[in-house]
């Protein structure tokens, strides 16, 4: 009987400790019962940076209703979700201002990272959207070739590729599935054709390839150029050469957190929470993190946690 009584006391003590622990923990939560509604895109960078933002929010005492990697890669959807009070925070890219700022001067997005960022940030204030610190990286549209092709033909830029084509050399371009806009967007093939003479016949452009990068690596069907983004992890894994765009026909796309102006007014510490983290994300760093997720198969949660811990972002 005494043994049962002692066990009962132990169970009660553990329950009391658990309840006390919960109360103590809840005192540290800044938004109990009102989680920050956060979402990010469903590309590799959306997963990785989304996980980093979620972990930073939680470390700093916020409850988060997170939809990391669950949003379609579409700026109007993400920004619209904030404007319609369906999201409090998200992640987006400065160059996308071309899509939603009426009458924008395109050259402002082709000048430098800071100008592209400031242009978008200023324009979105009237929409109740605040752009926080941007990463000094340009994740824009691009083309890539194998290292062997680049060295053999001295092709390191889109201008070089244009000259290569003008000399009568064959180019077969594979457009990765999801990149179909390359054939029509003025900041991709049409713009590169005008700027660099990148004139590829339609018969030599293959669209909707599910695994274009593998096709390039293997030279499938004569493919020697494929579409990519400039911080793509698989491009690094394959050791491809991303062709420079010297005139910045494709605008600067720097990732940055977006927050509702109303939420920022309520929780002003959000404004500088991500400053150091995003400032550290240059092109090489982002590409490496993306490669860990997409090529090595490390979960976005672990990629984010490792980076944040190694750089002491979890220290109080």
């Amino acid at each position: 009987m005494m043994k049962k009584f002692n066990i009962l006391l132990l169970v009660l003590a553990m329950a009391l400790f658990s309840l006390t622990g919960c109360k103590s923990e809840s005192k540290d939560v800044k938004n109990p019962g009102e989680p920050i509604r956060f979402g990010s895109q469903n590309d590799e960078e959306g997963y990785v940076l989304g996980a980093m933002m979620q972990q930073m929010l939680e470390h700093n005492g916020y409850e988060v209703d997170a939809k990391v990697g669950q949003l379609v890669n579409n700026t109007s959807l993400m920004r619209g979700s904030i404007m319609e009070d369906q999201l409090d925070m998200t992640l987006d890219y400065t160059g996308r201002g071309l899509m939603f700022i009426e009458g924008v001067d395109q050259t402002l997005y082709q000048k430098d990272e800071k100008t592209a960022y400031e242009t978008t940030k200023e324009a979105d204030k009237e929409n109740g959207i605040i752009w926080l610190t941007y990463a000094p990286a340009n994740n824009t549209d691009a083309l890539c070739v194998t290292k062997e092709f680049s060295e053999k033909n001295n092709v390191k830029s889109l201008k070089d590729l244009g000259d290569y084509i003008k000399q009568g050399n064959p180019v077969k371009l594979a457009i990765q599935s999801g990149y179909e806009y390359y054939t029509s967007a003025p900041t991709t093939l049409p713009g590169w054709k005008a700027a660099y003479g990148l004139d590829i016949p339609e018969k030599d452009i293959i669209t909707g390839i599910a695994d274009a990068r593998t096709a390039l690596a293997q030279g499938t069907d004569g493919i020697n150029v494929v579409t990519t983004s400039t911080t793509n992890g698989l491009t690094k894994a394959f050791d491809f050469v991303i062709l420079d765009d010297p005139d910045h026909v494709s605008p600067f796309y720097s990732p940055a957190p977006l927050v509702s102006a109303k939420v920022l007014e309520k929780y002003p510490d959000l404004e500088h929470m991500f400053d150091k983290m995003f400032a550290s994300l240059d092109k090489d760093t982002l590409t490496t993190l993306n490669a860990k997720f997409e090529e090595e198969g490390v979960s976005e949660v672990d990629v984010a946690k490792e980076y944040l811990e190694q750089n002491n972002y979890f220290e109080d």
Side-chain angles (χ1 to χ4, degrees):
M1 179 66 70
M2 182 60 69
K3 184 176 181 181
K4 289 183 178 180
F5 180 72
N6 288 337
I7 291 174
L8 179 61
L9 286 177
L10 179 61
V11 170
L12 288 172
M14 290 177 67
L16 181 61
F17 176 79
S18 177
L19 288 172
T20 304
C22 288
K23 286 182 180 179
S24 174
E25 185 175 322
S26 67
K27 289 180 181 178
D28 297 327
V29 175
K30 298 175 180 177
N31 58 334
E34 297 182 353
I36 298 290
R37 298 166 299 171
F38 171 75
S40 64
Q41 300 170 112
N42 59 356
D43 59 356
E44 78 259 18
E45 209 159 276
Y47 275 99
V48 172
L49 294 185
M52 290 171 70
M53 288 179 65
Q54 178 184 352
Q55 291 181 28
M56 284 291 288
L57 284 165
E58 292 173 342
H59 173 73
N60 283 277
Y62 286 94
E63 290 182 6
V64 184
D65 176 9
K67 294 179 174 62
V68 172
Q70 295 183 36
L71 301 183
V72 177
N73 194 347
N74 183 303
T75 292
S76 61
L77 172 64
M78 291 180 294
R79 293 179 60 262
S81 295
I82 290 182
M83 293 168 66
E84 295 170 13
D85 197 29
Q86 296 173 344
L87 279 182
D88 299 316
M89 294 194 74
T90 188
L91 166 77
D92 205 359
Y93 294 81
T94 56
R96 293 238 175 91
L98 286 170
M99 299 180 183
F100 58 80
I101 303 176
E102 187 176 350
V104 67
D105 180 356
Q106 181 174 310
T107 62
L108 295 174
Y109 289 93
Q110 297 168 314
K111 187 176 180 181
D112 55 59
E113 290 169 357
K114 184 177 181 180
T115 301
Y117 167 75
E118 293 292 349
T119 300
T120 305
K121 179 180 179 180
E122 187 61 31
D124 247 351
K125 284 181 180 178
E126 64 183 55
N127 296 315
I129 299 173
I130 306 301
W131 288 68
L132 305 181
T133 301
Y134 70 96
N138 181 22
N139 184 13
T140 193
D141 298 312
L143 299 179
C144 65
V145 298
T146 63
K147 188 174 183 179
E148 179 183 6
F149 178 93
S150 174
E151 293 178 348
K152 179 180 179 181
N153 300 293
N154 195 29
V155 172
K156 296 180 173 58
S157 70
L158 294 173
K159 182 180 182 304
D160 294 337
L161 184 61
D163 292 341
Y164 178 82
I165 292 172
K166 292 173 187 175
Q167 293 166 9
N169 295 303
V171 165
K172 197 163 188 179
L173 169 66
I175 296 181
Q176 179 83 15
S177 179
Y179 287 70
E180 285 80 7
Y181 62 89
Y182 267 65
T183 59
S184 58
T187 55
T188 53
L189 283 174
W192 296 335
K193 179 180 178 180
Y196 309 120
L198 209 69
D199 191 4
I200 304 174
E202 286 188 23
K203 66 180 181 63
D204 293 325
I205 300 176
I206 308 171
T207 60
I209 305 298
D211 195 359
R213 298 175 188 92
T214 298
L216 174 62
Q218 298 174 351
T220 305
D221 295 329
I223 291 170
N224 52 10
V225 182
V226 300
T227 54
T228 188
S229 57
T230 48
T231 61
N232 182 268
L234 286 180
T235 303
K236 180 180 178 70
F238 279 115
D239 198 25
F240 291 156
V241 174
I242 296 177
L243 301 180
D244 291 334
D245 178 7
D247 292 341
H248 298 298
V249 173
S250 294
F252 285 91
Y253 280 73
S254 300
L258 278 64
V259 62
S260 161
K262 292 187 295 185
V263 172
L264 183 59
E265 183 177 3
K266 188 172 183 178
Y267 304 112
D269 63 316
L270 292 174
E271 183 171 6
H272 298 293
M273 181 180 297
F274 307 99
D275 284 0
K276 291 183 179 179
M277 185 188 87
F278 268 79
S280 72
L281 298 172
D282 58 22
K283 179 182 174 182
D284 289 341
T285 300
L286 267 181
T287 305
T288 298
L289 293 173
N290 291 337
K292 286 185 178 182
F293 172 75
E294 191 171 20
E295 196 272 331
E296 298 177 26
V298 182
S299 75
E300 71 275 13
V301 174
D302 290 337
V303 172
K305 183 179 179 182
E306 179 185 33
Y307 184 78
L308 294 173
E309 287 181 343
Q310 286 181 348
N311 290 279
N312 303 316
Y313 293 118
F314 284 158
E315 291 186 357
D316 295 323

